[in-house]
Amino acid sequence: MKIKVLLADDQTILADGIRSVLTSCPDFEVVGIAADGVEAVELTEKLKPDVILMDIRMPNMNGVIATQEIKRRRPDVKILILTTFDDSDYILNAINNGASGYLLKDTSSSALIDAIKNAYAGDTILPAKIAKRIADAAKMVSSDREIKLKRRFGFSDREVEIAIMLYEGFTNKQIANALKLSDGTSRNYISSIYVKMECDNRTDAVKLMKETINK
């Protein structure tokens, strides 16, 4: 069975080029092209794609808002954000709204094909440049927050970094990818954080962090 792909990009030449690449692969069926976020939402309802390649900067509705709306309606669909290196302001928003990962617009054809297959299989797609940008964004927090968490819970530097990522809504998988940790190492750090906070789960930990930071 072919993977049904929807393209959402207002740049016709780029969208046509991607369609040509994907139609040359027998594993894919390009079911449609949306010119903006509004049309992406509408075509998702109509065509029921498995994977969407979503541009960020589009008229009428940008890719982040479209991702949020599509994931609300169809949480099973995988959405890969097409981005340039300068789109870092949007990255965390799209992750928090359910994006399965990111592709830089200068990615190779083979990498594009592999990324779609991997996203369809449930993997998170984060090119090295994007992963670094996410990690850098996670570090751009006030020293006040770090100091408050360290003082109250005795976190190490790495633990406070991960605690803040938990606070910002990163999933375990996204933390591991962004910080280049194995899934097991990431889980171990998170477990240690819970122990030091005397919490049993993420919801309680985030609530306690919020109380600590806002004091």
Side-chain angles (χ1 to χ4, degrees):
M1 187 175 72
K2 292 188 176 184
I3 300 171
K4 295 188 292 183
V5 181
L6 174 67
L7 308 180
D9 199 310
D10 62 318
Q11 297 180 38
T12 304
I13 293 176
L14 180 60
D16 286 343
I18 294 173
R19 178 170 57 183
S20 296
V21 169
L22 298 186
T23 52
S24 69
C25 178
D27 296 321
F28 300 128
E29 177 188 358
V30 178
V31 295
I33 298 178
D36 58 36
V38 173
E39 191 175 12
V41 174
E42 294 172 350
L43 289 181
T44 299
E45 291 293 299
K46 180 180 178 182
L47 303 173
K48 296 180 172 53
D50 301 306
V51 178
I52 301 172
L53 293 183
M54 181 81 73
D55 188 19
I56 284 184
R57 300 171 188 252
M58 294 185 292
N60 301 319
M61 180 188 290
N62 68 40
V64 175
I65 297 173
T67 294
Q68 181 180 25
E69 181 60 22
I70 289 169
K71 293 297 287 188
R72 183 183 68 80
R73 298 183 186 196
R74 287 200 61 210
D76 58 314
V77 71
K78 310 298 183 183
I79 301 177
L80 284 173
I81 300 294
L82 288 170
T83 181
T84 68
F85 193 59
D86 295 328
D87 282 334
S88 57
D89 290 346
Y90 295 94
I91 289 176
L92 292 179
N93 270 337
I95 280 183
N96 290 335
N97 284 309
S100 296
Y102 297 84
L103 290 173
L104 294 170
K105 286 190 173 181
D106 61 357
T107 192
S108 67
S109 297
S110 59
L112 173 66
I113 289 170
D114 288 343
I116 295 172
K117 290 179 179 179
N118 291 337
Y120 178 69
D123 292 342
T124 299
I125 311 302
L126 289 173
K129 288 181 181 179
I130 298 296
K132 183 180 185 302
R133 190 62 69 91
I134 292 172
D136 289 345
K139 293 174 184 176
M140 290 177 62
V141 296
S142 68
S143 60
D144 183 57
R145 287 204 295 184
E146 294 182 0
I147 290 168
K148 284 180 176 179
L149 292 176
K150 282 184 177 181
R151 281 179 177 172
R152 179 164 182 185
F153 304 113
F155 291 152
S156 66
D157 289 343
R158 178 62 96 183
E159 286 170 346
V160 78
E161 182 178 24
I162 292 174
I164 289 169
M165 293 179 80
L166 290 170
Y167 180 79
E168 295 290 349
F170 284 75
T171 66
N172 292 10
K173 183 74 172 179
Q174 288 161 354
I175 290 171
N177 285 334
L179 300 181
K180 297 182 179 179
L181 303 172
S182 69
D183 289 344
T185 300
S186 176
R187 285 195 299 270
N188 287 339
Y189 274 118
I190 293 169
S191 295
S192 176
I193 288 167
Y194 290 168
V195 169
K196 289 184 177 182
M197 297 183 72
E198 298 182 356
C199 292
D200 295 324
N201 55 67
R202 177 182 295 236
T203 300
D204 290 344
V206 170
K207 182 180 178 181
L208 188 53
M209 279 190 270
K210 192 171 186 179
E211 291 172 358
T212 302
I213 288 168
N214 292 335
K215 279 185 177 179

